[in-house]
Amino acid sequence: MSKWRNSIVLILLIMILPGCWDMEFIKDARLIYATGFDLLPGGQFKLTVTIRDSIETGGGTEQHNTIMESVARTTRENRDLMQSMVSGKLSVYKIRVHLLGESVAKKNIFPFMDVLYRDPKSALNARVCVVEGNANELLRLNKVGVTYIGETVDEMISGEEQMTVVPKENLGSIAPVMWDHGQDFTLPMVKKTAKNVKVTGTALFHGHHMTGKLNRQESTLMLLMAGRKADTARLTIPVDQKQNPQVANFITFDVNKAKPKMKVTVKPGNRIDVDFPMKLTVSAVEYPLGELSQKAVVQKLNKQLSAILTARSQQVIQKLQRANCDVFGIGRHLIAFHHDTWKQLHWKTDYRKVRFHPRVQVEIIGSGILN
Amino acid sequence: MIKESSRITQGQLFFYMIQAQVGIGIMSLPHDVHAVAKGGAWISILIGGVVVQLAILVMWALCKRFPNLTMFEYLPKIFGKWIGGFFNFAYIIFFILMATLVLVLFESLINKWVFPLTPRWAVLALIVMTSVYLVIESLRTITRFYVFVSVLIVLIVLIALNAFTIADFTYMFPITEAGWGKIFLGSNKVIVSLLGFEMLLVVYPFVEGKADGKLKAASAGNAFTTLLYSFLVFIALIVFSPMEMAMIPEPIPYMLKAFSFRVVERLDLLFLSIWTVIVATSYMNYLFLAANGFGHYFHRGNHRTAVYYTAIISYILALIPQSPDGIEFLTQIVSWASYAFVYGLPVLFLLISLVFRKREKGKTA
C-alpha cells in the first residue's frame, strides 16, 4: 500500500515541481549579442542591437546575425519596441558588449544604463566601451572579415585588455566607481574605419560622463601607473633621431613588472601632494641598434627611458586632471585616510590643484634571445 | 522525557545552531547595517554576536535548571499551569510568526531574483512541502540533515571569496565614519538576523551530555555564524562603494552577478540555489519549535501531527502580506516581538526561577 502511495505522491510532485511560469526556451530566445546607444541630433535616443541566431541545418548549425534599431524615449521602451519587430523573445542575458556612442557618453550615461543594473537577468559581466562617433554606424558593419561585429568588438577589446592598452572593465566593475565621489573610471574606446574597427585608446570619465581621451600609448602608461598591468604591456619609445631608416631609432620593450607607489600627503592649507614613483623592469623585444650586452649602454638607455617616461607620465596626468578624471583614486584615498580634509574640499575643482610628482625609473633586465 | 531515539549529540547541536541562525539575513544584512554603521558595519556584526552570546548564556542558565524538560514543559512548573500555558502559547504564536516571516521574505526575494512570473502560492508550497517532509521526523533526523547541508556554507564562503579579485579596501575607510554610537546602533539589525538560537529553549533537553559541553557547542555555533556574517558584510563593504551600497538592497548576490567563469556564467543563481536550502533550514527550525509546542499540549508530546497544521497556518499567513508595506509591517512586528521573546522574557524566567528556587525535581544532570 505504502509503495503505491509513494509512487502517486512522486508522480504528483514531478508534475508540480518543474513549474511552468518562468520557463524560457532557448529555441524561442533571440539572444542579443551587442547593443549600441546613440543620441540623434534632435535629442531622440536610438538603440541598435545585433541578434545572434543559430539555425540547425542538416549539416550542423548555421550562424546568423540580425541588426535591428529603434528610436524611443528610454532603453526599456526601445527594447520593447524591438520586441514588437522580431519573432521569438528578445533575451538580454547573453549580451557581451555595450557600445556607447560619443553623443551618449558625453551626457550622463547612467539613465541609459539603469535598466542594465536593475534587471536581474541582465549580464553584469558585459563589456562597455565608447565609440568615437556613432555606435549605430559601427554595428551596421555587420561583419568584419568573417567575424560578426559584436564578436569582433568584444574580442578586440579583450585582446587589448591583455596587452594593457585599455582598462579591463565591465558593467559590474564600473558601478562602484561611478557612484563614488572619490574616483573615476575609464572605458576602452573604439572607432569605425572604412570597413573595419580599431581600438583607439581610452575614454576618460568624470562622474557619469565622458570628459577626455587618451591615446593607446598614454593609456598603457596610465594603466601601469594605476597598477593595472595585465598579461603584457608594451611600449615603443624613440631613443635616437639620427638613424636611417627611421625604424632604427626606436626601442620596443615589454614591461615585466610595474611597481607604482603612490603616496598622498596633505600639507597645511589643504595642499595635496602626490608622490608617484614607479619602478619598471622591462625586457627589450625590438632594438635594432643592438649593444644591449654593454653595461654602459644599458645604463644610458635606462636613464634616457626613465626621463622620457617621466615626462610622458606628466603629460598623462595633465590630461587626466584637465578631464577631471581621478583614475588613481586620490579622492578615495583622502576619503579613507584624511576624512577631515576631504570634507573641506570641493573635489570637482580641487582635483586639478593636486600636485603630482611622477618619477618613472626604468630598468632593462632582458633582451630577448639577442644581446 | 525525551525519547532516546531523538537525542542529538553536542556536535550536532553546533550544526543545528548554525543552520538555525544563518538564513534570510545573509542577503540584505550588509545593506541594512551599512545604512546605519557605514564602514564599521562589520564591527556591528561582531557586537551583535556578543549580544546574542549573552542571550545564549541566559537561556543556558535557565535550561540548566530543567535539564530534561523543554520550555513548554518547565514554564508551567515555574508559573503554574495557567500563566505558564499563556506564555507557552505566546511563544508558539511567536514561532509561527517567525516561520511566516522567513517564508514571506524568502518568497519576495525569489520572486525578485529568479522567478518573477511564478505565483506566490507555488513558491511557498514548494518550500513548505519539503520542510514538512523533513520536520515530521524526529529531531535527530532533522539535525542529521542540518549537518549534511552545512557543507553548503563552505560553498557560500568559497563563492564569496571571488570578491577579493575586485575588492577595493579603501571603501570601508574611515571605519568609524558613522561614529561608535551608530556602530552600536547598527548591531540592532544584527541581533534580529542572528535569531534562531532561541531554539535552545526547546532543543536543550534533546542534547546529550553535560551542561558545560552544551554551552560550548551552542556558543561555538553562534561564534561561527557571527564570523560568517561579519565576513560576508566585510566583503560587501570592500566590493561596493558607499553610495552604491545604499542603492543595492541585496549586495551579496548582486556582487556575484559580475563574475563569470568558463563553466558557470551566473554565480548569483548558483548562490541563490544554495541559499534556498539555508533558508529552508531556518524555516524548518521554527516549524519544529511551534509544532513541538502544539505537540506538548495536544498530541501527548509528539510533534508529528502538529507539523502539518502548523505548516498550513504559516503558509496561509505568508500568503497575506502582498505589498512591500505589508512585508515591512510584518518585519517590524516580528522584530519587536523578538526583543521580548528572545532577549527579554528569558531573563525574567531565569530571575523568577532563581528567586523562587524553581528547578527540575529528582535527579540533576
Side-chain angles (χ1 to χ4, degrees):
Chain A
M1 261 328 273
S2 159
K3 236 181 200 170
W4 275 108
R5 200 190 60 192
N6 284 351
S7 334
I8 290 169
V9 169
L10 197 69
I11 290 166
L12 273 177
L13 280 180
I14 287 171
M15 279 161 64
I16 301 168
L17 284 174
C20 40
W21 295 279
D22 283 291
M23 278 195 293
E24 286 199 31
F25 289 108
I26 200 81
K27 69 180 166 72
D28 297 335
R30 303 291 301 273
L31 299 174
I32 301 179
Y33 200 93
T35 63
F37 301 75
D38 285 302
L39 273 180
L40 301 179
Q44 287 162 301
F45 168 33
K46 181 190 258 184
L47 188 73
T48 317
V49 304
T50 72
I51 300 167
R52 165 60 49 83
D53 294 305
S54 310
I55 295 161
E56 297 268 353
T57 59
T61 52
E62 209 175 286
Q63 300 285 329
H64 284 278
N65 204 37
T66 316
I67 295 169
M68 315 231 15
E69 60 180 58
S70 67
V71 175
R73 290 168 297 183
T74 67
T75 309
R76 185 62 105 168
E77 200 178 40
N78 262 317
R79 266 193 206 168
D80 293 345
L81 210 57
M82 266 178 215
Q83 180 65 68
S84 71
M85 298 186 275
V86 296
S87 66
K89 192 168 181 298
L90 272 186
S91 308
V92 295
Y93 39 76
K94 270 301 198 182
I95 297 183
R96 299 319 318 147
V97 58
H98 297 277
L99 296 95
L100 304 173
E102 223 171 346
S103 49
V104 166
K106 285 185 172 160
K107 287 264 160 55
N108 185 349
I109 59 170
F110 185 72
F112 296 91
M113 296 162 76
D114 177 82
V115 66
L116 308 179
Y117 288 106
R118 201 173 287 276
D119 181 359
K121 287 204 173 108
S122 120
L124 279 185
N125 49 24
R127 291 200 165 82
V128 192
C129 67
V130 172
V131 180
E132 277 193 275
N134 198 314
N136 176 268
E137 280 171 26
L138 191 146
L139 288 175
R140 284 255 162 227
L141 280 174
N142 187 21
K143 250 184 180 183
V144 176
V146 292
T147 319
Y148 289 118
I149 184 70
E151 272 169 330
T152 307
V153 176
D154 189 42
E155 283 166 14
M156 242 175 184
I157 295 175
S158 154
E160 295 293 72
E161 278 170 4
Q162 270 154 42
M163 292 291 290
T164 324
V165 175
V166 293
K168 189 172 166 55
E169 298 285 10
N170 59 34
L171 270 180
S173 69
I174 62 172
V177 184
M178 185 159 37
W179 289 104
D180 192 11
H181 293 305
Q183 55 181 340
D184 293 304
F185 63 96
T186 57
L187 288 177
M189 196 163 53
V190 296
K191 191 180 181 182
K192 173 182 173 283
T193 56
K195 278 193 172 172
N196 212 333
V197 183
K198 67 176 184 186
V199 177
T200 54
T202 296
L204 306 177
F205 279 74
H206 171 65
H208 294 184
H209 59 277
M210 179 180 162
T211 48
K213 302 172 181 178
L214 291 182
N215 66 30
R216 294 166 56 94
Q217 293 250 327
E218 289 166 338
S219 176
T220 304
L221 197 55
M222 179 269 285
L223 289 169
L224 288 175
M225 290 167 76
R228 297 179 61 176
K229 176 184 170 282
D231 297 345
T232 354
R234 191 167 289 166
L235 287 168
T236 303
I237 307 251
V239 286
D240 201 346
Q241 276 127 31
K242 301 184 287 287
Q243 302 297 322
N244 197 11
Q246 283 290 322
V247 181
N249 288 324
F250 295 88
I251 181 169
T252 302
F253 56 80
D254 276 353
V255 177
N256 298 2
K257 251 188 200 157
K259 276 194 195 152
K261 279 203 182 108
M262 194 178 80
K263 199 175 161 233
V264 183
T265 43
V266 180
K267 291 190 179 131
N270 289 336
R271 215 189 86 176
I272 297 149
D273 278 282
V274 181
D275 211 20
F276 215 144
M278 175 164 71
K279 206 171 164 190
L280 296 180
T281 48
V282 307
S283 339
V285 290
E286 193 173 31
Y287 184 50
L289 288 176
E291 297 167 347
L292 284 178
S293 60
Q294 296 169 34
K295 243 187 181 160
V297 175
V298 172
Q299 260 166 11
K300 203 182 130 211
L301 260 180
N302 281 348
K303 237 184 205 165
Q304 203 181 351
L305 288 177
S306 301
I308 293 173
L309 285 181
T310 303
R312 282 202 184 175
S313 47
Q314 228 139 17
Q315 287 165 7
V316 169
I317 287 169
Q318 259 174 23
K319 276 199 178 179
L320 288 172
Q321 280 185 305
R322 218 171 299 139
N324 233 335
C325 177
D326 187 2
V327 193
F328 305 122
I330 310 290
R332 185 98 279 284
H333 185 91
L334 293 173
I335 293 175
F337 304 113
H338 304 275
H339 202 67
D340 295 329
T341 314
W342 170 258
K343 280 194 204 146
Q344 295 163 19
L345 292 174
H346 184 60
W347 200 232
K348 230 176 173 154
T349 51
D350 283 336
Y351 173 60
R352 294 188 180 173
K353 294 183 198 152
V354 173
R355 295 145 63 112
F356 285 90
H357 308 284
R359 203 170 61 247
V360 184
Q361 196 190 343
V362 181
E363 192 188 343
I364 302 175
I365 57 160
S367 58
I369 49 175
L370 272 187
N371 259 335
Chain B
M1 279 302 291
I2 307 298
K3 264 192 257 163
E4 193 52 42
S5 62
S6 48
R7 286 188 175 271
I8 59 175
T9 67
Q10 292 177 358
Q12 285 174 321
L13 176 66
F14 170 75
F15 288 106
Y16 193 113
M17 192 71 172
I18 295 171
Q19 290 297 344
Q21 283 190 300
V22 180
I24 226 97
I26 283 189
M27 296 280 268
S28 52
L29 197 60
H31 168 85
D32 293 346
V33 184
H34 179 265
V36 183
K38 298 268 165 24
W42 58 281
I43 304 177
S44 299
I45 310 281
L46 296 178
I47 296 171
V50 172
V51 175
V52 168
Q53 185 58 42
L54 292 178
I56 289 179
L57 274 175
V58 170
M59 286 177 190
W60 171 75
L62 176 63
C63 291
K64 205 172 83 157
R65 304 179 69 81
F66 306 94
N68 294 309
L69 301 178
T70 69
M71 171 182 67
F72 301 115
E73 287 157 347
Y74 64 68
L75 280 188
K77 289 208 155 68
I78 301 178
F79 292 99
K81 196 177 165 197
W82 290 105
I83 302 180
F86 168 77
F87 278 127
N88 277 343
F89 275 96
Y91 265 97
I92 292 173
I93 292 169
F94 170 67
F95 290 145
I96 291 177
L97 275 182
M98 284 301 290
T100 308
L101 182 66
V102 173
L103 286 182
V104 167
L105 294 177
F106 171 77
E107 198 282 330
S108 73
L109 284 170
I110 286 294
N111 179 276
K112 199 152 104 178
W113 277 86
V114 201
F115 299 130
L117 302 176
T118 309
R120 287 168 73 84
W121 60 264
V123 174
L124 289 178
L126 284 178
I127 186 171
V128 170
M129 271 159 37
T130 347
S131 301
V132 168
Y133 183 58
L134 179 66
V135 180
I136 51 173
E137 300 299 330
S138 75
L139 185 70
R140 182 180 281 180
T141 315
I142 299 173
T143 314
R144 280 180 182 161
F145 177 75
Y146 285 6
V147 176
F148 177 63
V149 297
S150 292
V151 182
L152 296 176
I153 290 182
V154 179
L155 265 182
I156 283 193
V157 172
L158 286 180
I159 293 176
L161 276 178
N162 281 297
F164 282 99
T165 57
I166 54 168
D168 181 342
F169 286 91
T170 57
Y171 288 150
M172 56 183 279
F173 290 103
I175 292 175
T176 53
E177 185 185 355
W180 281 103
K182 285 283 167 86
I183 291 179
F184 273 96
L185 212 61
S187 59
N188 196 14
K189 290 268 180 197
V190 185
I191 59 178
V192 177
S193 286
L194 285 173
L195 283 182
F197 64 90
E198 65 271 27
M199 58 84 185
L200 268 186
L201 293 171
V202 178
V203 173
Y204 186 88
F206 288 88
V207 188
E208 293 165 350
K210 292 217 173 75
D212 291 354
K214 298 186 193 181
L215 178 65
K216 273 184 205 150
S219 308
N222 177 47
F224 181 91
T225 314
T226 308
L227 289 178
L228 177 74
Y229 273 18
S230 196
F231 168 75
L232 290 173
V233 169
F234 180 83
I235 276 187
L237 284 177
I238 59 178
V239 166
F240 296 106
S241 60
M243 270 180 73
E244 193 189 14
M245 188 82 121
M247 295 192 299
I248 299 177
E250 290 97 31
I252 300 288
Y254 203 95
M255 156 187 103
L256 300 174
K257 257 165 75 65
F259 295 114
S260 125
F261 299 104
R262 205 166 285 272
V263 191
V264 190
E265 179 87 1
R266 291 276 306 275
L267 264 187
D268 53 322
L269 290 184
L270 191 67
F271 172 85
L272 286 166
S273 325
I274 295 174
W275 171 81
T276 303
V277 181
I278 308 269
V279 171
T281 57
S282 298
Y283 173 67
M284 289 168 186
N285 175 38
Y286 286 114
L287 197 56
F288 172 77
L289 296 181
N292 193 288
F294 280 130
H296 171 71
Y297 277 98
F298 303 126
H299 309 288
R300 282 188 245 130
N302 192 345
H303 71 275
R304 191 183 173 101
T305 325
V307 170
Y308 294 108
Y309 58 81
T310 314
I312 291 172
I313 296 172
S314 66
Y315 177 70
I316 292 171
L317 284 178
L319 286 174
I320 297 171
Q322 299 277 353
S323 64
D325 281 350
I327 296 176
E328 182 59 28
F329 181 64
L330 180 68
T331 313
Q332 274 309 321
I333 291 182
V334 174
S335 55
W336 282 114
S338 74
Y339 292 130
F341 283 97
V342 179
Y343 297 97
L345 285 176
V347 181
L348 180 77
F349 298 158
L350 178 63
L351 287 178
I352 290 176
S353 67
L354 282 174
V355 172
F356 294 96
R357 296 170 186 277
K358 301 273 188 186
R359 57 165 58 236
E360 193 177 343
K361 291 191 182 78
K363 61 178 189 326
T364 43

